[in-house]
């Protein structure tokens, strides 16, 4: 693998992420750098929409590695996460062998459990060597998968190998860069966390969020971006069921520029609030006077 | 990539400091294993230490594995590395846990009681007498007796009965499959493997069925003053459930909400209950149901109510500030779970009427309203929990008022 592409220090990592438009906190850059150096999976937890998934995408783009994404869901099993045998192709192979009068059972079994009948799913793909270097493996929203799958991951993450009974053990020549994210809809077992570097990704400070908005929504005016960030930051202080994340801020800023907005007005905010708040109860709370008040605070600063 | 030598971790003053810091964290309640210390030393070597924030981020990534521990870590880090120039000195002055001052472990009351009793040999006739006294009819009386009116000995008997309750599992079908002869889905992989034994001729068709597992249970137990005669027994009950099932979460609330799931996981019921009570600050205080439900909905609802959870709300519903907020929070709770069962000890009175404002507010939002004040009603509850859960109720969208 090309070691030259890996950053040599925390500052190098920070530069690398910034070059791809990911404005990370220094602490996040530190743990990312460490996870590359130590070959440990990086476990990112935090509210939805704070940029946990994004970091894997940015890393793969910046390092020129392949990104392999495993989206977790309840019911995810080995067949859809690791590998599966192509039964139809195997059946054809058996019939062909039969037609050819080939009846050697040993031969048949080693023929039909060959690599060409193996369908590789994300985790197995991540163990394969790649010319560009070991891939970035993103295990997204692990909290959605059930405990049984989590336990299965333990083996893969500590040894980077998979055992297929009919075929043998496949071991990665170079361990992939692993990023695991969780929205904390349930607790992940300590055994898994122990194998990873842990980092809690928080909502960014106003200054950083402003920089993120400016870099992600290029056409936005200085005044509007300032107001958008102040408004969102003020919303996060409110007692909402679901506070808006950075992703929502970017969505909203984009929506406002699409509407050619120059600055926030109560009418405009009321019409586009759905880009920020995703629960009817939360939106209902932000009507009328409550909205006026937050908006007044947010716009008075600019 | 520079490889890191796990067998020969760095030594010297930095190592002393990290080991000392790990010890301090352990004393403060963050589980830090020896493997993490070696990791930390290697990681500190990997970053060029020059900046306090980097050291902080590095050690945090390795020592902290839970969001809740971050605050403790921050405080420990500040205290420990206050004077960076004299780390060695700081290490010497870190207060380590004082074992002499530790409270006696929770099981010791039982041990004391056991030791205080006269030796078993002298008591043999009395023991027999006691067994005779607890005849069938007495047991029946005990079954129906209100928990609030029991003597200590009776409570001990009930506790024992609760611990022995059989908890059949209410099964939920998951989306995962396992080999199952009666299953409906074809298992091609196993079928093909077995067909090889007959030279590729498929004789035996293998099947897959859905894995079934018990529905998660979330219990919200009111520990306010008016419930005080029941709480301990309910905790025993919840401990028995926690022991038998995997997915049970238990929260206690009075004026505020406390998650005691981890505390209840202790094997020994006395230990579990003691650890529960030490984590709660408002035993037998007032009730603020609406506020407690609000914090549950906001902080825990999405985390523990997934996968079709059944909620047991154990409370007498005597809320002083019953207003629209209470109804709103009940409605939200009801909409986020599969079944909401309200267990109310007040239902023991046959003349019970939902007159209290709080109860009136809460009643429209529950699926089931059951009494729970004696062994019989508890057994009834277990039966209800074992019944196959009803299909997910249609989310009824009602106005919060």
């Amino acid at each position: 693998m090309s070691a030259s592409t890996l950053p040599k220090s925390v500052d190098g990592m920070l530069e690398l992420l910034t070059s791809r438009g990911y404005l990370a906190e220094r602490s996040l850059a530190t743990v990312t750098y460490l996870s590359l150096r130590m070959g440990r999976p990086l476990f990112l937890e935090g509210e939805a929409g704070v940029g946990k998934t994004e970091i894997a995408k940015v890393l793969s783009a910046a390092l020129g590695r392949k990104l392999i994404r495993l989206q977790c869901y309840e019911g995810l099993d080995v067949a859809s996460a690791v590998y599966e045998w192509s039964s139809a192709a195997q059946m054809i192979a058996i019939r062909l062998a039969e037609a050819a009068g080939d009846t050697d059972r040993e031969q048949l079994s080693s023929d039909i459990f060959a690599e060409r009948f193996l369908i590789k799913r994300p985790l197995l793909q991540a163990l394969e060597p790649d010319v560009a270097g070991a891939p970035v493996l993103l295990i997204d929203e692990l909290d959605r998968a059930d405990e049984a799958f989590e336990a299965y991951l333990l083996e893969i993450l500590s040894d980077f190998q998979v055992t297929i009974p009919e075929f043998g053990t496949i071991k990665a020549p170079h361990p992939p860069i692993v990023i695991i994210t969780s929205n904390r809809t349930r607790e992940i077992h300590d055994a898994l966390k122990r194998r990873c570097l842990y980092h809690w990704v928080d909502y960014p400070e106003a200054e950083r969020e402003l920089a993120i908005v400016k870099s992600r929504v290029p056409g936005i005016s200085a005044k509007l971006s300032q107001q958008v960030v102040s408004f969102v930051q003020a919303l996060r202080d409110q007692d909402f069921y679901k506070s808006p994340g950075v992703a929502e801020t970017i969505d909203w800023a984009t929506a406002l520029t699409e509407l050619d907005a120059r600055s926030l007005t109560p009418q405009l905010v009321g019409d586009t609030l759905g880009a920020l708040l995703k629960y009817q109860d939360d939106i209902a709370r932000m009507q009328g006077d409550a909205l006026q008040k937050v908006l007044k605070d947010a716009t008075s600063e600019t | 990539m520079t490889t890191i030598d796990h067998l020969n971790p760095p030594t010297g003053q930095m190592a002393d400091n990290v080991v000392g810091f790990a010890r301090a964290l352990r004393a403060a309640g963050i589980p830090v294993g020896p493997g993490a210390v070696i990791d930390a030393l290697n990681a500190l070597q990997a970053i060029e230490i020059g900046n306090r924030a980097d050291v902080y981020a590095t050690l945090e990534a390795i020592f902290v594995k839970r969001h809740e521990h971050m605050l403790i870590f921050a405080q420990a880090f500040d205290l420990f590395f206050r004077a960076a120039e004299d780390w060695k000195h700081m290490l010497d002055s870190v207060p380590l846990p004082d074992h002499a001052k530790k409270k006696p472990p929770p099981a010791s009351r039982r041990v004391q009681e056991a030791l205080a009793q006269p030796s078993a040999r002298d008591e043999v006739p009395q023991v027999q007498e006691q067994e005779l006294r607890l005849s069938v009819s007495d047991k029946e009386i005990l079954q129906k007796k209100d928990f609030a009116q029991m003597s200590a000995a009776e409570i001990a008997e009930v506790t024992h009965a609760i611990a022995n309750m059989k908890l059949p599992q209410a099964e939920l079908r998951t989306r995962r499959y396992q080999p199952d002869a009666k299953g409906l889905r074809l298992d091609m992989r196993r079928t093909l493997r077995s067909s090889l034994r007959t030279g590729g001729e498929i004789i035996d068709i293998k099947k897959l069925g859905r894995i079934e597992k018990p529905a998660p249970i979330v219990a919200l137990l009111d520990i306010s003053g008016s419930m005080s005669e029941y709480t301990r027994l309910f905790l025993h009950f919840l401990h028995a459930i926690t022991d038998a099932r995997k997915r049970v979460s238990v929260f206690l609330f009075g004026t505020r909400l406390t998650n005691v799931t981890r505390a209840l996981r202790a094997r020994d019921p006395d230990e579990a209950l003691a650890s529960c009570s030490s984590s709660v600050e408002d035993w037998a205080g007032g009730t603020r149901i609406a506020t407690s439900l609000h914090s549950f909905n906001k902080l825990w609802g999405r985390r523990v109510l997934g996968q079709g959870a059944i909620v047991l709300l154990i409370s007498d519903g005597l809320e002083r500030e019953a207003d629209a907020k209470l109804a709103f929070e009940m409605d939200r709770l009801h909409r986020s779970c599969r079944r909401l069962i309200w267990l109310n000890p007040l239902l023991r009175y046959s003349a019970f009427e939902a007159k209290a404002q709080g109860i009136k507010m809460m009643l429209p939002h529950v699926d089931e309203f059951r009494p729970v004040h004696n062994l019989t009603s508890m057994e009834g509850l277990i039966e209800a929990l074992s019944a196959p859960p009803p299909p997910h109720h249609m989310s009824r969208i009602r106005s919060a008022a």
Side-chain angles (χ1 to χ4, degrees), chain A residues 232-248:
Chain A
V232 172
Q233 294 266 337
L235 281 193
R236 289 200 192 115
D237 293 338
Q238 307 262 326
D239 190 19
F240 283 130
Y241 193 54
K242 168 75 186 84
S243 289
V246 186
E248 277 83 32

Side-chain angles (χ1 to χ4, degrees), chain B residues 296-363:
Chain B
F296 176 79
N297 282 336
K298 188 162 192 282
L299 299 174
W300 295 98
R302 266 173 295 198
R303 290 161 68 182
V304 298
L305 291 182
Q307 303 159 331
I310 299 173
V311 173
L312 302 180
L313 177 64
I314 310 172
S315 168
D316 50 15
L318 299 180
E319 161 86 309
R320 218 161 292 162
E321 309 156 359
D323 49 17
K325 202 170 166 247
L326 178 61
F328 176 82
E329 296 299 342
M330 277 300 286
D331 182 42
R332 164 143 278 164
L333 178 65
H334 188 206
R335 275 191 278 138
S336 22
C337 67
R338 174 180 291 267
R339 192 151 63 129
L340 177 53
I341 304 178
W342 184 6
L343 305 172
N344 192 336
L346 286 183
L347 274 189
R348 67 183 182 276
Y349 303 117
S350 50
F352 173 83
E353 273 178 69
K355 272 190 189 147
Q357 192 60 25
I359 298 178
K360 272 193 199 161
M361 288 282 180
M362 289 159 76
L363 259 185

Side-chain angles (χ1 to χ4, degrees), chain A residues 1-9 12 16 36 62-63 65 132-133, chain B residues 1-2:
Chain A
M1 64 199 274
S2 45
S4 60
T5 54
L6 289 183
K8 293 269 187 296
S9 65
L16 184 89
L36 293 190
L63 297 174
R65 308 288 182 86
Chain B
M1 188 189 287
T2 341

Side-chain angles (χ1 to χ4, degrees), chain B residues 240-285:
Chain B
I241 306 187
T242 314
D243 214 28
R245 285 177 183 244
K246 261 194 177 157
R247 297 189 293 169
V248 179
S249 318
V250 181
F251 295 83
L252 305 183
F253 69 92
T255 48
R256 41 186 291 233
L257 185 82
T258 319
N259 183 356
V260 292
T261 310
R262 285 210 161 208
L264 273 187
R265 289 247 175 252
R267 270 279 147 162
D268 183 288
D270 281 356
E271 192 186 323
L273 261 57
S275 140
C276 240
S277 57
S278 68
S279 55
V280 173
E281 286 168 20
D282 56 340
W283 276 105

Side-chain angles (χ1 to χ4, degrees), chain A residues 11-182:
Chain A
D11 293 306
M13 176 56 81
L14 211 49
E15 266 170 44
L16 184 89
L17 294 176
T18 312
S19 72
R20 291 284 166 166
Y22 192 98
L23 307 173
E25 304 268 344
R26 193 177 166 87
S27 56
L28 178 60
T30 310
V31 292
T32 313
Y33 169 69
L34 278 175
S35 98
L36 293 190
R37 273 296 296 269
M38 299 170 72
R40 285 291 186 87
L42 180 58
F43 190 100
L44 299 176
E45 233 173 16
E47 300 296 332
V50 287
K52 302 186 294 294
T53 305
E54 196 62 26
I55 196 156
K57 294 185 185 166
V58 168
L59 264 186
S60 91
L63 297 174
R65 308 288 182 86
K66 195 159 80 182
L67 176 69
I68 295 172
R69 177 174 181 163
L70 176 67
Q71 173 66 50
C72 298
Y73 55 89
E74 201 203 336
L76 181 67
D77 55 3
V78 173
S80 40
V82 194
Y83 71 94
E84 200 171 10
W85 288 106
S86 165
S87 310
Q90 283 175 322
M91 289 285 260
I92 292 170
I94 292 174
R95 291 288 162 248
L96 284 176
E98 236 173 34
D102 196 351
T103 51
D104 182 0
R105 276 196 226 171
E106 287 295 311
Q107 186 60 40
L108 185 64
S109 101
S110 69
D111 276 355
I112 77 158
F113 289 115
E115 196 173 351
R116 65 198 168 100
F117 294 119
L118 195 61
I119 303 174
K120 291 172 182 161
R121 302 289 190 208
L123 288 181
L124 194 54
Q125 286 171 18
L127 300 183
E128 297 207 302
D130 194 273
V131 276
V136 176
L137 170 64
L138 167 65
I139 301 175
D140 212 10
E141 303 187 15
L142 180 60
D143 49 330
R144 286 175 185 276
D146 36 6
E147 290 91 344
F149 182 71
E150 216 179 291
Y152 185 85
L153 268 186
L154 288 178
E155 186 202 344
I156 295 189
L157 292 185
S158 47
D159 301 333
F160 296 106
Q161 65 176 37
V162 168
T163 305
I164 301 172
E166 301 91 347
F167 187 72
T169 300
I170 298 177
K171 190 169 170 56
H174 301 290
I177 298 168
V178 184
I179 312 268
I180 303 173
T181 75
S182 158

Side-chain angles (χ1 to χ4, degrees), chain A residues 26 31 36 40 76 83 87 90 105 146 166 184-185 187 193 196 198 200 239-241 281, chain B residues 1 39 46 54 58 61 64-65 67-68 176 188-189 192-193 197 294 297-298 302-303 332:
Chain A
R26 193 177 166 87
V31 292
L36 293 190
R40 285 291 186 87
L76 181 67
Y83 71 94
S87 310
Q90 283 175 322
R105 276 196 226 171
D146 36 6
E166 301 91 347
R184 271 222 312 176
T185 59
E187 288 296 344
K193 285 180 165 182
C196 309
Y198 175 87
W200 174 264
D239 190 19
F240 283 130
Y241 193 54
D281 302 334
Chain B
M1 188 189 287
D39 277 353
D54 285 0
T58 305
V64 177
K65 301 293 176 196
H67 185 48
E68 299 89 276
R176 289 171 72 97
M188 277 308 278
R189 184 174 161 196
L192 266 172
R193 272 188 85 176
R197 255 172 260 145
H294 175 72
N297 282 336
K298 188 162 192 282
R302 266 173 295 198
R303 290 161 68 182
R332 164 143 278 164

